[in-house]
Amino acid sequence: MTNKIRIAELTSEEARQHLNAEAVLLVPMGSLEDQGTHAPMGDFMAADAVAMDIAKSARAAGVQTFVAPVIPFGGKDFFESSHGGVSLRHETLAMILNDMIGCFIRHGLKRILIVNGHGGNVPPITEVALRWRQSHGVFITSMYLWQISYGLLQKILGPERAAQSSGHGADPLTSVGLHYFPQLLRSDLMRNPTPGLKVGGVEVGGYGTLSYGGVSFQAPTEAAENAPDGVWGGDPHLCSAETGAALVAELVRLGAGFIKDHVARGFRAT
């Protein structure tokens, strides 16, 4: 087994030798958008870093695991208003992901786990995964890192503290960023969520929603209206590298375990 984990670093001969039907491929995805005034816009860097750590852990458990080049641009949702951000139409992202997976499958590489770091990627991932299952019987799964993380944070921090720190521009991504690349974060630029925001005279309920009568209504709002500083629902000042390390450890444990128990086995029945 080669020590190289990234597919991009393999020579063509190494690829022929090691990228076989038993290999597991991780496909990291993320976005380039406003993550708060203090945090780097490229959350795909965090997804890529977690994928690498998952691959290392899976290898330690005996599974030959590789990481594909990260898809850095997320599917369009509310964040096209982010200054300097780049997003792709869902059909464009679905075609990119579909073509990428098609190249793997052509060479017999069918054990694929998508490591996703952006909510706007979920619909294209779902569409592509269903397409390959229905057309070729290939079962592709994904783990949405930050959705999983909200539940993990309650265990790591306790429900009360997690409720205070969890939200866009705060936990989990700020703590994960402080763990992986603290030199890129600007604590001096941290800002709290902006209270009392309204769009069209109605209280903002979250990204893409308005609040009325205690319920949420879907609305075509943009991130710049919902959270002009990129922070919604959580206080980034409560985030820490220690929380990020604990969170990553759990994500890696779960990801590597899922690979060993299911992805590497091709989801065969026990």
Side-chain angles (χ1 to χ4, degrees), residues 38 178 182 184-191 237:
H38 59 284
L178 288 168
L184 298 181
L185 276 86
R186 292 280 305 276
S187 297
D188 60 306
L189 295 178
M190 284 184 177
R191 299 176 187 173
H237 296 89

Side-chain angles (χ1 to χ4, degrees), residues 43-55:
D43 69 2
F44 65 87
M45 296 186 297
D48 183 59
V50 173
M52 283 293 292
D53 281 347
I54 290 173

Side-chain angles (χ1 to χ4, degrees), residues 159-265:
E160 183 176 349
R161 176 78 175 202
Q164 295 172 343
S165 70
S166 295
H168 194 272
D171 269 334
L173 198 52
T174 292
S175 286
V176 170
L178 288 168
H179 167 64
Y180 277 125
F181 28 77
Q183 74 281 3
L184 298 181
L185 276 86
R186 292 280 305 276
S187 297
D188 60 306
L189 295 178
M190 284 184 177
R191 299 176 187 173
N192 293 330
T194 304
L197 292 172
K198 293 184 178 181
V199 176
V202 187
E203 181 182 352
V204 170
Y207 288 108
T209 67
L210 299 175
S211 180
Y212 176 79
V215 301
S216 293
F217 287 74
Q218 302 298 315
T221 61
E222 294 193 280
E225 299 172 302
N226 294 12
D229 294 321
V231 180
W232 173 267
D235 184 352
H237 296 89
L238 301 177
C239 302
S240 70
E242 292 75 21
T243 297
L247 187 53
V248 166
E250 281 298 291
L251 290 170
V252 170
R253 179 184 67 81
L254 290 166
F258 188 67
I259 289 170
K260 180 176 180 292
D261 293 341
H262 298 290
V263 181
R265 298 176 64 251

Side-chain angles (χ1 to χ4, degrees), residues 121-135:
N121 295 342
V122 173
I125 290 171
T126 301
E127 176 187 334
V128 171
L130 282 170
R131 183 185 303 164
W132 280 105
R133 186 182 187 192
Q134 292 165 355
S135 63

Side-chain angles (χ1 to χ4, degrees), residues 9 12 15 35 55 66 74 83 99 101 131 138 183 195 202 208 210 225:
E9 296 176 357
S12 60
Q35 304 292 345
F66 295 88
H83 189 83
D99 286 353
I101 290 173
R131 183 185 303 164
V138 178
Q183 74 281 3
V202 187
L210 299 175
E225 299 172 302

